[in-house]
Amino acid sequence: MLMNIQVQCCGLFILCVLFIFHITRETVGFRSTKLYSRVILANFTCLILDILSIILISVHQGAPSFGTVLVARLYLVSLIVVFLFGYLYTCNDIHVLQRSRLSLALAIGFAAIGSLLAMLLPISIEYEEGRAYTYGPAVNATFFAAPAFILGTILLTIVFRRQMNPHRKAAIRIWMGLELTAGVIQFIFPELLLIGFVTSIGIMILFMELENPESEMDRTINVFSSHVMLDYIRQLYENNREFSGAFIINASEWKVSRAEEEAIMMEMAAFLKQIPRIKVFRGAGNDFALIIPSKFYSDDMIREIYERFILTWLGYEIHSTIIAIPTSRIAQSPEEVTMFYQYFRTKSLDSAERLIFFDEQEHARMQKAKLIQQEIISALDEDRVNVYYQPIYSIQKGRFVSAEALARINRADGSLMMPGEFIPVAESTGLVEAIGARVLEKVCAMLRDHPITGLGIEYIEVNLSVAQCENRWLADDIEQLTKKYNIPPRLLNLEITETSAIRFRDIVISNMEKLTQSGFSFSLDDFGTGESNLNYIVHMPVHIVKFDRSMTQDYFKNERTKLVMDSVVSMIHNMNLKIVAEGIEEKYQVESMAAIGVDYIQGYYYSKPIPLVDFLSFLHEHN
Ligand code: C2E
Ligand code: MG
Ligand code: MG
């Protein structure tokens, strides 16, 4: 007994292989993946029914039983269902149709009518010379409904071409094109049963183009790739699914070879992947992102991960910061989640905190920081970054010999924003360099336009941020600027902090040496905060040490601080350096500082930081 089922058997074989690949792959669980499974299953059913009907027809040659007719009709229905799923799979890429109940209802309604006709209209069954096939109105109805879906699907890829993933668009067009060709051939030669096979080929094309395991995985470390993360988060938001998660932000520069770096990343990935129920994604650079179903999330789980990350990886210590997000409800949109990530990425680099729970409080802090960041950007744009001057008094000379330039931002509404508010944000966003450059430029312009040396001012002190000090071009930039304004270098004293000197010591020292050679001088700011270390001063070319307000205030409250400061003053003087005491507010404080040998006084007792015009009249009045 001959049967024309060879082609279908090939199709079935291809489908089985694909199906095994499909279900054993690691997948993040996109809707498209689920729809794809349905396309496979529908086609599987279709091929089985196709083969079964041919076998039945061949067995009952000439006199088909009720069962044979039923199977033949079910095959027609399954054919329509395959194309219905193909159509829905395509809709999933198109935002307006993805959730549209109307479009879904129309498609299903249309498929239902087609199926009903295939079940009810007359059908003829033929068997000749080993070839079984069907024809008649029921078959014609199917051959109307199925191509309608095919054409509809092609139309979607044309109308919504801009919204579709280009790979999916191409794959679907090829698939549908093949189906159309096969349909025409089968319509003209009913005994050539190509459609089931061609559908298997189409599904294989989809697999190769889009649904293959590689497309979601990061090739090197075998976690989900970073581009998949945003798509997945989008899908969770679209389905109104609450979730939890964490970002693991690894410091950017590891002092290891490329191969070691990969090995470390693989070890980290392997550790994360063995934790049940979390999805591990690669973030930017060497970061990881974890997505955890909310009901399985706990702070302790994150703490356990953290405990592992503070240990070494292949013997190397990697500085990682973990940001836990207990609930996605804190963000309104997927874009906001990625914004959090970006925010922490820039922030965490110098953050001492290595485990942060991103709660309401942290959220509010972040939003405030964002507003401040925008304010800084527009202030820089609209020239609202201004310089105030705080006079510095020389005890020895009995007059004001200097002033510290302090940045202020005039908000658009006219109010004043203080450095305490904007400097930390500027530092974490990299804007501090631009602010520093602006302040320097304004100070130079002031020195050019106002001959304050004639009023007894010997130099102006300007704060340098850590970022500026670490810039290789700092010395060149400053020299160029002073040349542009024709300012002698001795008029500028640059304030640096110990932090700058610790991190990138070589660059900072080389900048300082170049500038000192050109005639600029330096002050060490913030002395007495944190763990000030006299060793640093010994090795740095500074001329002045500035006692921070916290220390000078403590002098009057704390006997121990008093003792320490008394001896520190003489040590600093032994190094031939001068001392400024900051934060002096009362007359008796001036007297005490003078008594222990401090050279200069800066504080509210003499003046707060004031705008340039006020500073000029201050000098006219007092010097
Ligand atoms: P700083 O460099 O130590 O500046 C001294 C700060 O102490 C100033 O605060 C000044 O107003 C304040 N101060 C001085 N005398 C007294 C006093 O008697 N009582 C009180 N309560 N405070 C006094 P300000 O202007 O708010 O600046 C704060 C910090 O912001 C500065 O500390 C400096 O670290 C930073 N900063 C200001 N301008 C710039 C800038 O242009 N660039 C950079 N990188 N940092 C800046
Ligand atoms: Mg300062
Ligand atoms: Mg200071």
Side-chain angles (χ1 to χ4, degrees):
M1 182 173 41
L2 283 169
M3 284 182 280
N4 49 342
I5 57 168
Q6 299 85 342
V7 184
Q8 289 89 325
C9 287
C10 289
L12 205 58
F13 178 73
I14 294 176
L15 217 53
C16 289
V17 174
L18 275 182
F19 193 64
I20 290 169
F21 272 111
H22 181 62
I23 56 169
T24 52
R25 63 184 278 209
E26 233 175 302
T27 171
V28 71
F30 283 124
R31 240 163 69 96
S32 82
T33 312
K34 287 180 195 142
L35 288 168
Y36 182 71
S37 305
R38 282 184 210 158
V39 177
I40 295 185
L41 284 179
N43 194 38
F44 191 80
T45 318
C46 178
L47 280 166
I48 295 280
L49 287 169
D50 194 4
I51 294 168
L52 194 64
S53 73
I54 292 168
I55 293 174
L56 287 173
I57 296 170
S58 309
V59 169
H60 301 107
Q61 299 182 16
S65 66
F66 172 75
T68 308
V69 174
L70 181 67
V71 172
R73 287 183 186 279
L74 284 175
Y75 159 67
L76 296 178
V77 171
S78 70
L79 208 57
I80 296 175
V81 172
V82 169
F83 292 114
L84 168 69
F85 284 147
Y87 178 84
L88 294 179
Y89 176 78
T90 312
C91 285
N92 186 55
D93 248 25
I94 301 163
H95 199 73
V96 284
L97 299 179
Q98 205 179 55
R99 311 251 113 210
S100 155
R101 284 179 195 283
L102 179 69
S103 121
L104 187 70
L106 280 178
I108 292 181
F110 187 78
I113 294 172
S115 306
L116 218 58
L117 295 178
M119 291 305 287
L120 300 176
L121 290 178
I123 185 167
S124 305
I125 287 176
E126 199 65 56
Y127 180 83
E128 54 188 39
E129 294 165 24
R131 292 174 187 284
Y133 60 91
T134 53
Y135 62 93
V139 178
N140 291 347
T142 308
F143 272 76
F144 173 73
F149 272 120
I150 295 177
L151 290 174
T153 307
I154 294 177
L155 207 63
L156 285 183
T157 67
I158 295 170
V159 175
F160 297 101
R161 61 189 173 280
R162 285 189 225 292
Q163 297 185 26
M164 289 188 74
N165 171 331
H167 289 271
R168 199 178 323 270
K169 195 166 57 190
I172 287 174
R173 282 179 185 170
I174 295 173
W175 174 24
M176 292 298 147
L178 287 175
E179 295 285 5
L180 224 46
T181 318
V184 170
I185 295 174
Q186 193 168 329
F187 191 70
I188 300 170
F189 308 103
E191 69 281 9
L192 281 178
L193 305 177
L194 288 177
I195 290 183
F197 175 71
V198 165
T199 307
S200 299
I201 299 288
I203 291 174
M204 191 169 76
I205 294 173
L206 287 187
F207 185 82
M208 291 189 306
E209 273 290 301
L210 305 149
E211 302 293 344
N212 71 68
E214 289 285 286
S215 69
E216 286 181 21
M217 303 305 281
D218 182 283
R219 276 163 204 270
T220 43
I221 58 169
N222 203 35
V223 296
F224 294 122
S225 64
S226 53
H227 68 91
V228 168
M229 174 173 69
L230 186 61
D231 285 346
Y232 184 59
I233 293 179
R234 274 208 190 105
Q235 178 175 307
L236 291 171
Y237 269 88
E238 275 161 12
N239 295 343
N240 284 324
R241 279 277 175 78
E242 185 193 341
F243 60 95
S244 307
F247 291 116
I248 298 173
I249 299 174
N250 285 319
S252 51
E253 279 185 31
W254 301 358
K255 294 195 174 64
V256 300
S257 71
R258 182 95 193 104
E260 282 167 328
E261 185 172 327
E262 260 176 30
I264 292 173
M265 282 299 283
M266 274 192 261
E267 199 181 281
M268 288 179 173
F271 164 74
L272 292 169
K273 284 179 75 171
Q274 51 81 38
I275 306 169
R277 288 186 286 259
I278 69 171
K279 288 192 162 65
V280 185
F281 296 82
R282 187 166 192 159
N286 284 342
D287 296 352
F288 289 98
L290 314 178
I291 294 185
I292 310 161
S294 277
K295 60 179 169 197
F296 299 120
Y297 170 90
S298 72
D299 286 357
D300 285 341
M301 172 184 198
I302 301 292
R303 274 195 199 96
E304 266 167 46
I305 297 174
Y306 168 74
E307 294 298 330
R308 175 63 192 89
F309 269 80
I310 49 179
L311 304 177
T312 58
W313 300 95
L314 302 180
Y316 292 102
E317 213 172 293
I318 305 293
H319 184 104
S320 325
T321 308
I322 298 186
I323 318 293
I325 302 189
T327 167
S328 57
R329 268 176 304 178
I330 219 157
Q332 307 297 306
S333 65
E335 285 70 28
E336 210 174 330
V337 177
T338 42
M339 209 183 71
F340 292 169
Y341 173 49
Q342 293 306 341
Y343 167 77
F344 280 110
R345 260 201 103 177
T346 45
K347 190 181 135 112
S348 73
L349 296 178
D350 41 35
S351 143
E353 258 178 304
R354 291 179 61 181
L355 177 60
I356 298 170
F357 287 93
F358 192 61
D359 47 17
E360 302 286 342
Q361 221 179 343
E362 192 70 38
H363 186 227
R365 208 174 305 162
M366 186 200 78
Q367 278 183 324
K368 193 162 169 231
K370 278 211 61 89
L371 287 180
I372 294 174
Q373 183 186 354
Q374 282 159 2
E375 186 65 56
I376 298 173
I377 293 171
S378 58
L380 282 165
D381 258 9
E382 297 159 15
D383 196 20
R384 287 189 276 105
V385 176
N386 286 322
V387 180
Y388 276 41
Y389 295 90
Q390 185 175 30
I392 296 173
Y393 184 81
S394 161
I395 291 172
Q396 199 197 0
K397 296 184 179 163
R399 63 178 164 85
F400 294 92
V401 293
S402 154
E404 177 170 5
L406 293 155
R408 300 286 183 265
I409 285 181
N410 284 94
R411 289 201 188 84
D413 67 8
S415 62
L416 211 58
M417 179 147 71
M418 301 298 283
E421 203 173 342
F422 65 81
I423 292 286
V425 176
E427 274 170 350
S428 70
T429 51
L431 288 166
V432 75
E433 281 205 73
I435 295 181
R438 186 66 57 89
V439 169
L440 261 171
E441 178 130 30
K442 293 213 160 172
V443 169
C444 288
M446 183 278 286
L447 288 169
R448 179 195 59 192
D449 300 339
H450 304 279
I452 55 171
T453 42
L455 293 169
I457 293 295
E458 295 165 8
Y459 54 88
I460 297 288
E461 298 185 8
V462 182
N463 292 284
L464 290 184
S465 63
V466 177
Q468 281 173 292
C469 293
E470 289 169 0
N471 182 341
R472 278 171 206 285
W473 312 113
L474 177 79
D476 298 336
D477 289 350
I478 292 184
E479 282 182 43
Q480 249 175 29
L481 190 71
T482 45
K483 284 212 181 86
K484 178 176 156 196
Y485 284 91
N486 203 13
I487 306 294
R490 67 183 152 74
L491 289 190
L492 284 184
N493 176 284
L494 304 165
E495 292 190 5
I496 68 154
T497 62
E498 219 173 58
T499 340
S500 341
I502 296 171
R503 281 217 331 208
F504 288 86
R505 199 180 158 76
D506 296 344
I507 299 180
V508 177
I509 299 281
S510 122
N511 274 331
M512 288 178 77
E513 277 168 356
K514 274 191 225 161
L515 287 163
T516 308
Q517 261 168 24
S518 312
F520 297 90
S521 63
F522 282 90
S523 294
L524 182 75
D525 205 356
D526 293 354
F527 188 86
T529 61
E531 287 158 44
S532 298
N533 190 333
L534 283 174
N535 272 332
Y536 281 105
I537 310 179
V538 178
H539 297 292
M540 278 198 304
V542 295
H543 310 84
I544 295 172
V545 176
K546 298 191 78 172
F547 285 180
D548 191 74
R549 188 173 95 93
S550 55
M551 188 166 78
T552 54
Q553 288 298 313
D554 218 29
Y555 181 88
F556 302 102
K557 293 181 204 139
N558 189 327
E559 197 57 33
R560 276 179 58 116
T561 310
K562 197 166 182 301
L563 289 173
V564 170
M565 260 174 74
D566 287 340
S567 62
V568 162
V569 168
S570 65
M571 277 195 279
I572 293 175
H573 278 159
N574 285 340
M575 288 185 243
N576 255 331
L577 308 177
K578 301 280 188 202
I579 298 169
V580 179
E582 285 188 303
I584 302 301
E585 298 184 352
E586 309 286 344
K587 187 162 198 285
Y588 78 90
Q589 295 175 340
V590 177
E591 283 159 2
S592 305
M593 288 296 120
I596 61 168
V598 162
D599 306 272
Y600 307 106
I601 304 286
Q602 176 181 354
Y604 290 1
Y605 174 70
Y606 290 113
S607 168
K608 288 191 170 183
I610 42 180
L612 177 60
V613 270
D614 299 341
F615 176 55
L616 294 174
S617 36
F618 180 93
L619 290 181
H620 278 289
E621 194 180 319
H622 292 88
N623 272 6

